[in-house]
C-alpha cells in the first residue's frame, strides 16, 4: 500500500438540513424524505438504503407534507400554498399548483391512490382528483375555525379525520360535511395549557382514531360516538408525529424530546382474543425533536432536527440477518459535494447557496508513520461565491488546472474563469450561456481542462470546448428514443477520449468523445451505481454499486476484465458486503496501475489487483504486518484489500500527487453544535 502524506481537512463547515417529513412507499420499497431547506430525497430501501435521487431545495419552498399516490407518483405541499408533483425520471418538478387556502400544513392520499387531500391555514380541507397528467380540484369540505395540521383517511375511503388546534374533526367524504367534533383535553401534568395542537392523527379500520398532541399525549377515540376511549401520557413535551403499520397491529410516534415510542396490539391475556394497545419499546436515537416517523414492514423510520435519518429494525419481522437487521443512521448525502484541483492543490466546497474555494496548507517537516506534522503554511480561504436567487445549488466542479469553476441551479448554469496573481485571485463570469445549458445535474471537466461535460436534466449530455476565456459547444448526446432519463454520474478517461454516464436506473453508457457516438452500454445490473471512474492507460471503467459490488469493465474490449470475472466467481468478503455506506469516490494511482483507490463515509481502501482476494476465513481489516516478520509470513497474510478507518466521517478523499492524499472529514459533534439546542431535561434530580 505504501506510505502517504495526508492532508486532514476539517474546515468544510457543512451542516445538513433538518428532516421535516418522510413518506414510505410499500409498493416500491422507497422512502421520500423532505428537509427544511425544501430538498427532497428518494431512498431505495431494497438497494441497501441508497439515496438514488434528489430534488434541490428552494428558499421559498418550506415543505410540510409528502405523500405517494397512484403507485409511483410523489407529491409535496408546503407553506407557500402550492401542491407539487415530482418527475422521478427527469428529476425535476412537473408542475406546481396553488390550492388557494393559504399555507398547507398536511396532505394525505386516499387508500385507492386516486384522490389527494390537503389541510390549509384557513381551516379548509380540499379534495383533489388525481388525473394521469395533473391534479384537478374537486371540492371543499366544511371549513373549520383553525388551521388543519394533520389528516388521515379511513381505509375504506368513506371518512377522514382532521387534527386542528384543540379539536379533531371527522368528515364524511361523500357529503363533505363534519360528522363529529372531538375536543382535546388541554390538561398537561395537572395544569391547563393555553392550546393543544393535534400534530398527528391515524384512522384505523375499526373506526378508532389515534391522535398525538402538544400535551405529550397519545389518545384513542371512537369515531362512531366521538368519545375518548383511552389516553397515554408519554412525554413532557410535544408528541409530533405518528405512523401506523399496514396490518394495523403496531404504530410508532416521535416526541420533541428525541424519543421514539413503539405501540403494539397485544392480547389482554395469553388465551384471550381481546386485544389492547400497549407501549412496548422506547428508542432514543435522536438528540433533538423527532419531526416525522414512518413504519415499513421491517423497520421504524424517524427523522428530525438533528438531521439524522434513523432506521430501527423490528427484529421479530426480520427473517435473516442481512441489511434489514442492522440499525442504521444516515446523516450525509450519498453524493459528492467536494471537487479538487490537483495541480493547484485547491478544494471547492459546495453548500446550498454558496461555494467556497480553499488552498491546502503545506509543510516542510518530515516524520515517521503516524506522526502529525506542523504546517509551515496554513490553508487559505480564497473565494466565497454566493448564488443569486432562492434556488439551491445542484452540482458544482472545479477544473483540474484550477482555472474554471462551474455550477448549476434548477434554472441557471454558471461558468467562471479564475486568474491567479501571486496571492490575489480574480473572477470573471462567462456570459451568454446557451439556452440548452439552462440546468445541469452533473458537471465534469476533462483531465487537461479543455473540455466541459454537462448532463442536463432533459437526459442530454453536452460537450463544451474551453479555450482562453470563451467556450464552444461541440456536441450533444441525446437520450435514447422514448426516454428522458436523467444522468446522475459522469466519468471521463484521463486521455479525454471516453465519457461514461450513469442514469437513474442501473445502466451505464460509454461514449466515444472524438467520434461523437455511443460506444457501448455496460450490461445492466440490479442495483444503482454509486461511483465510477476510468483508469489511466488501460481505459478500464471501475463501477461500484449500492450492494457493495465492484466491477471492472474494459471499454476498448467492450467486456468485463479477467480480474472482474475472478472477483465475481470467488465473491467478496462477507464483512465487505455488510458495510452499510456506499462507495462515493474512486480514483487511481498513475504509477501503480494495479491499484484502485476508493472510499465510503467510514473507510478508505486500496485494492491491489495483483494480490489474491481475501476469503471469509481471512481478516479483512488486516493491520499491516510487522516489519520484522519474515517475507514468507508477510506474503501469506497479504491480500488485495488494504483498509484504513482512521478518517471518519469521510466526505472526500483523493490522491493529489504520487505520495500525497487529501481527506475531508466532518465530525458529527461539529454538526450537533450548529443545530438548534434540544429541549433541556432535568436529570438525576437536578
Amino acid at each position: 500500500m505504501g506510505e502517504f502524506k495526508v492532508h486532514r481537512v476539517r474546515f468544510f463547515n457543512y451542516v445538513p438540513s433538518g428532516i421535516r417529513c418522510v413518506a414510505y412507499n410499500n409498493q416500491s420499497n422507497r422512502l421520500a424524505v423532505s428537509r427544511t431547506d425544501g430538498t427532497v430525497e428518494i431512498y431505495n430501501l431494497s438497494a441497501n438504503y441508497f439515496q438514488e435521487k434528489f430534488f434541490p431545495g428552494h428558499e421559498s419552498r418550506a415543505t410540510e407534507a409528502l405523500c405517494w399516490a397512484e403507485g409511483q407518483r410523489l407529491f409535496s405541499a408546503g407553506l407557500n400554498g402550492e401542491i407539487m408533483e415530482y418527475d422521478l425520471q427527469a428529476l425535476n418538478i412537473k408542475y406546481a399548483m396553488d390550492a388557494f387556502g393559504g399555507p398547507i400544513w398536511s396532505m394525505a392520499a386516499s387508500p385507492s391512490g386516486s384522490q389527494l387531500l390537503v389541510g390549509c391555514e384557513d381551516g379548509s380541507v380540499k379534495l383533489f382528483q388525481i388525473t394521469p397528467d395533473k391534479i384537478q380540484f374537486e371540492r371543499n369540505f366544511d371549513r373549520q375555525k383553525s388551521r388543519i395540521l394533520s389528516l388521515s383517511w379511513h381505509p375504506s375511503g368513506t371518512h377522514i379525520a382532521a387534527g386542528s388546534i384543540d379539536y379533531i374533526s371527522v368528515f364524511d367524504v361523500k357529503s363533505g360535511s363534519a360528522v363529529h367534533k372531538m375536543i382535546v383535553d388541554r390538561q398537561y401534568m395537572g395544569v391547563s395549557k393555553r392550546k393543544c395542537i393535534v400534530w398527528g392523527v391515524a384512522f384505523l379500520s375499526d373506526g378508532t382514531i389515534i391522535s398525538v398532541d402538544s400535551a405529550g399525549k397519545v389518545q384513542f377515540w371512537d369515531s362512531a360516538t366521538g368519545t375518548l376511549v383511552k389516553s397515554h401520557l408519554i412525554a413532557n413535551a410535544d408528541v409530533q408525529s405518528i405512523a401506523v403499520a399496514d396490518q394495523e397491529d403496531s404504530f410508532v410516534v416521535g416526541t420533541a424530546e428525541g424519543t421514539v415510542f413503539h405501540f403494539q396490539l397485544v392480547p389482554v391475556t395469553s388465551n384471550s382474543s381481546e386485544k389492547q394497545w400497549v407501549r412496548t419499546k422506547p428508542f432514543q436515537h435522536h438528540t433533538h425533536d423527532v419531526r416525522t416517523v414512518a413504519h415499513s414492514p421491517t423497520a421504524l423510520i424517524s427523522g428530525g432536527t438533528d438531521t439524522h435519518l434513523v432506521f430501527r429494525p423490528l427484529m421479530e419481522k426480520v427473517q435473516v440477518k442481512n441489511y434489514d437487521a442492522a440499525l442504521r443512521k444516515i446523516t450525509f448525502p450519498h453524493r459528492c459535494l467536494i471537487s479538487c484541483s490537483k495541480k493547484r492543490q485547491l478544494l471547492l466546497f459546495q453548500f446550498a447557496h454558496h461555494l467556497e474555494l480553499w488552498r491546502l496548507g503545506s509543510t516542510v517537516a518530515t516524520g515517521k508513520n503516524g506522526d502529525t506534522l506542523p504546517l509551515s503554511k496554513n490553508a487559505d480561504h480564497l473565494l466565497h461565491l454566493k448564488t443569486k436567487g432562492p434556488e439551491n445549488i445542484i452540482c458544482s466542479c472545479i477544473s483540474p488546472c484550477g482555472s474554471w469553476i462551474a455550477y448549476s441551479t434548477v434554472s441557471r448554469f454558471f461558468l467562471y474563469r479564475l486568474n491567479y496573481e501571486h496571492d490575489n485571485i480574480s473572477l470573471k463570469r462567462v456570459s451568454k450561456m446557451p439556452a440548452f445549458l439552462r440546468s445541469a445535474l452533473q458537471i465534469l471537466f476533462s483531465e487537461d481542462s479543455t473540455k466541459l461535460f454537462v448532463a442536463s436534466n432533459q437526459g442530454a449530455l453536452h460537450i463544451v470546448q474551453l479555450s482562453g476565456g470563451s467556450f464552444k459547444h461541440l456536441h450533444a448526446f441525446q437520450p435514447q428514443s422514448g426516454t428522458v432519463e436523467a444522468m446522475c454520474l459522469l466519468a471521463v478517461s484521463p486521455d479525454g477520449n471516453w465519457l461514461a454516464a450513469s442514469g437513474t436506473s442501473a445502466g451505464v453508457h460509454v461514449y466515444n468523445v472524438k467520434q461523437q457516438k455511443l460506444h457501448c452500454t455496460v450490461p445492466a445490473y440490479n442495483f444503482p451505481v454509486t461511483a465510477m471512474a476510468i483508469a489511466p492507460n488501460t481505459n478500464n471503467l471501475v463501477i461500484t454499486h449500492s450492494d457493495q459490488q465492484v466491477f471492472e469493465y474494459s471499454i476498448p474490449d467492450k467486456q468485463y476484465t479477467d480480474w472482474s470475472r475472478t472477483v465475481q466467481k470467488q465473491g467478496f468478503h462477507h464483512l465487505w458486503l455488510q458495510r452499510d455506506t456506499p462507495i462515493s469516490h474512486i480514483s487511481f494511482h498513475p504509477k501503480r496501475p494495479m491499484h484502485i483507490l476508493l472510499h465510503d463515509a467510514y473507510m478508505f481502501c486500496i485494492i491491489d489487483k495483483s494480490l489474491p482476494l481475501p476469503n471469509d476465513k481471512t481478516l479483512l481489516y488486516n493491520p499491516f504486518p510487522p516489519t520484522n516478520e519474515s517475507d514468507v509470513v508477510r506474503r501469506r497474510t497479504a491480500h488485495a484489500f488494504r483498509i484504513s478507518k482512521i478518517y471518519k466521517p469521510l466526505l472526500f478523499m483523493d490522491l493529489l500527487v504520487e505520495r500525497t492524499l487529501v481527506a475531508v472529514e466532518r465530525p458529527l459533534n461539529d454538526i450537533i453544535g450548529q443545530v438548534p439546542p434540544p429541549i433541556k431535561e432535568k436529570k438525576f434530580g437536578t
Side-chain angles (χ1 to χ4, degrees):
M1 189 173 183
E3 285 189 0
F4 293 96
K5 189 185 289 183
V6 182
H7 291 268
R8 293 190 74 169
V9 173
R10 290 194 170 188
F11 45 75
F12 180 29
N13 194 25
Y14 172 72
V15 180
S17 295
I19 294 171
R20 179 60 196 92
C21 42
V22 298
Y24 174 69
N25 187 330
N26 208 359
Q27 292 180 25
S28 63
N29 199 25
R30 281 173 169 80
L31 183 78
V33 177
S34 170
R35 296 187 179 268
T36 51
D37 65 351
T39 302
V40 172
E41 303 161 345
I42 311 288
Y43 291 84
N44 187 343
L45 307 194
S46 301
N48 196 13
Y49 297 74
F50 178 61
Q51 182 190 313
E52 61 181 4
K53 300 171 186 176
F54 87 101
F55 300 87
H58 194 284
E59 277 184 351
S60 66
R61 202 173 9 183
T63 306
E64 284 291 320
L66 269 180
C67 75
W68 297 90
E70 289 261 308
Q72 304 294 322
R73 294 174 68 175
L74 179 64
F75 296 88
S76 76
L79 300 184
N80 61 355
E82 291 181 337
I83 304 168
M84 291 185 299
E85 184 176 358
Y86 297 89
D87 188 329
L88 301 181
Q89 287 298 315
L91 296 188
N92 56 24
I93 293 169
K94 273 188 184 178
Y95 58 85
M97 182 176 177
D98 199 322
F100 296 103
I104 299 173
W105 291 95
S106 52
M107 180 168 59
S110 64
S112 64
S114 60
Q115 292 173 306
L116 203 62
L117 208 60
V118 295
C120 304
E121 173 74 21
D122 65 358
S124 62
V125 177
K126 297 173 184 288
L127 186 66
F128 291 84
Q129 193 72 31
I130 299 174
T131 62
D133 301 321
K134 215 171 179 182
I135 58 171
Q136 188 174 331
F137 175 73
E138 200 166 312
R139 72 159 176 275
N140 282 317
F141 286 23
D142 288 352
R143 182 171 292 188
Q144 304 302 296
K145 290 182 180 178
S146 58
R147 63 181 68 147
I148 307 298
L149 292 157
S150 49
L151 288 168
S152 180
W153 287 79
H154 187 273
S156 66
T158 57
H159 290 80
I160 61 162
S164 191
I165 298 173
D166 290 335
Y167 60 89
I168 301 164
S169 303
V170 180
F171 293 92
D172 182 277
V173 174
K174 198 170 184 180
S175 65
S177 57
V179 180
H180 288 296
K181 191 171 183 179
M182 299 170 284
I183 308 298
V184 181
D185 186 10
R186 297 185 186 182
Q187 289 287 323
Y188 170 73
M189 305 289 282
V191 180
S192 181
K193 295 188 80 173
R194 192 174 56 191
K195 287 180 179 178
C196 186
I197 302 166
V198 181
W199 288 117
V201 288
F203 214 147
L204 305 186
S205 302
D206 62 1
T208 302
I209 296 173
I210 310 171
S211 69
V212 295
D213 56 44
S214 60
K217 294 175 184 172
V218 176
Q219 296 186 315
F220 297 83
W221 306 82
D222 185 338
S223 63
T225 58
T227 55
L228 178 65
V229 177
K230 197 170 185 182
S231 182
H232 292 263
L233 180 64
I234 64 167
N236 295 326
D238 297 39
V239 184
Q240 295 183 312
S241 47
I242 181 171
V244 182
D246 285 346
Q247 290 78 21
E248 296 186 358
D249 57 354
S250 77
F251 68 88
V252 57
V253 298
T255 73
E257 297 169 330
T259 311
V260 171
F261 290 99
H262 188 205
F263 284 76
Q264 289 177 285
L265 194 61
V266 297
V268 177
T269 59
S270 57
N271 298 320
S272 173
S273 59
E274 186 185 348
K275 294 184 177 181
Q276 65 178 3
W277 287 103
V278 175
R279 190 180 82 196
T280 53
K281 302 167 195 146
F283 304 117
Q284 188 81 39
H285 300 305
H286 295 272
T287 56
H288 293 62
D289 300 39
V290 179
R291 299 292 303 272
T292 180
V293 290
H295 200 311
S296 82
T298 57
L300 308 178
I301 305 163
S302 56
T305 311
D306 64 1
T307 76
H308 300 311
L309 181 63
V310 176
F311 297 86
R312 171 80 195 193
L314 295 168
M315 297 310 293
E316 65 270 20
K317 303 276 186 182
V318 179
Q319 301 298 322
V320 291
K321 188 181 178 184
N322 59 5
Y323 291 135
D324 294 330
L327 170 75
R328 65 187 65 216
K329 194 180 280 192
I330 299 173
T331 305
F332 299 104
H334 292 165
R335 63 185 191 280
C336 201
L337 301 173
I338 301 158
S339 58
C340 176
S341 166
K342 297 180 182 180
K343 291 178 184 175
R344 288 191 179 268
Q345 307 257 306
L346 303 174
L347 289 176
L348 183 71
F349 298 144
Q350 177 184 320
F351 296 85
H353 293 284
H354 74 275
L355 302 173
E356 288 183 6
L357 184 65
W358 288 76
R359 182 189 289 129
L360 292 169
S362 58
T363 183
V364 293
T366 56
K368 61 180 187 295
N369 191 13
D371 285 356
T372 302
L373 305 179
L375 287 174
S376 55
K377 186 179 179 184
N378 289 326
D380 292 329
H381 185 188
L382 300 179
L383 182 68
H384 183 101
L385 184 59
K386 196 172 187 315
T387 63
K388 293 180 180 178
E391 295 175 340
N392 284 17
I393 297 173
I394 302 175
C395 56
S396 62
C397 193
I398 186 169
S399 63
C401 69
S403 298
W404 298 93
I405 287 178
Y407 75 90
S408 179
T409 65
V410 169
S411 60
R412 299 185 75 185
F413 183 88
F414 298 86
L415 181 63
Y416 289 90
R417 175 77 190 222
L418 281 73
N419 289 310
Y420 302 88
E421 293 178 12
H422 305 296
D423 285 340
N424 296 324
I425 184 169
S426 61
L427 195 68
K428 185 182 178 183
R429 183 183 165 193
V430 178
S431 57
K432 297 181 181 177
M433 300 300 291
F436 56 77
L437 283 181
R438 190 175 57 113
S439 179
L441 290 173
Q442 192 65 254
I443 308 166
L444 190 64
F445 288 91
S446 62
E447 193 82 9
D448 59 5
S449 303
T450 60
K451 289 186 180 71
L452 174 65
F453 303 97
V454 180
S456 76
N457 62 359
Q458 300 303 314
L461 291 171
H462 300 281
I463 306 175
V464 177
Q465 180 84 39
L466 301 172
S467 58
S470 62
F471 69 94
K472 178 186 175 185
H473 185 250
L474 294 181
H475 187 70
F477 296 111
Q478 296 300 331
Q480 304 295 318
S481 59
T483 62
V484 187
E485 186 187 24
M487 294 297 169
C488 307
L489 283 173
L490 296 178
V492 64
S493 61
D495 58 15
N497 292 335
W498 306 104
L499 174 69
S502 170
T504 49
S505 67
V508 178
H509 305 291
V510 181
Y511 299 90
N512 189 318
V513 175
K514 282 190 176 178
Q515 296 179 10
Q516 298 181 352
K517 67 176 185 179
L518 178 67
H519 176 69
C520 64
T521 299
V522 179
Y525 188 64
N526 294 334
F527 290 84
V529 177
T530 67
M532 59 183 185
I534 301 174
N537 305 321
T538 60
N539 283 326
N540 289 336
L541 173 65
V542 177
I543 307 169
T544 60
H545 293 269
S546 64
D547 64 343
Q548 312 300 354
Q549 294 291 339
V550 181
F551 294 94
E552 187 181 48
Y553 187 84
S554 172
I555 294 175
D557 298 338
K558 298 185 182 180
Q559 63 179 5
Y560 288 113
T561 64
D562 292 340
W563 178 82
S564 188
R565 294 177 192 276
T566 304
V567 167
Q568 292 308 308
K569 193 174 180 180
Q570 181 177 330
F572 283 105
H573 197 284
H574 70 281
L575 292 178
W576 176 267
L577 297 175
Q578 284 172 11
R579 291 171 21 258
D580 62 358
T581 51
I583 299 293
S584 54
H585 188 260
I586 305 169
S587 58
F588 303 95
H589 198 301
K591 295 187 178 178
R592 296 180 189 171
M594 299 304 285
H595 286 190
I596 303 171
L597 287 68
L598 39 79
H599 77 85
D600 65 15
Y602 295 99
M603 67 96 205
F604 169 65
C605 176
I606 295 180
I607 301 177
D608 188 341
K609 296 187 291 179
S610 65
L611 292 174
L613 290 168
N615 57 37
D616 282 354
K617 295 178 182 177
T618 315
L619 284 172
L620 176 67
Y621 302 108
N622 195 3
F624 298 110
T627 52
N628 58 0
E629 291 276 13
S630 67
D631 285 346
V632 177
V633 174
R634 288 166 67 87
R635 278 199 299 271
R636 194 171 66 237
T637 57
H639 58 69
F641 286 75
R642 283 286 175 263
I643 295 174
S644 168
K645 289 191 168 187
I646 298 172
Y647 315 102
K648 53 188 178 184
L650 186 59
L651 298 191
F652 179 79
M653 197 160 197
D654 202 359
L655 190 73
L656 288 176
V657 291
E658 187 179 346
R659 290 190 172 275
T660 307
L661 291 166
V662 57
V664 181
E665 298 171 272
R666 188 67 179 128
L668 293 176
N669 288 340
D670 294 355
I671 294 173
I672 293 297
Q674 295 190 49
V675 298
I679 289 176
K680 191 169 182 180
E681 296 182 60
K682 287 188 175 184
K683 291 184 179 179
F684 310 115
T686 57

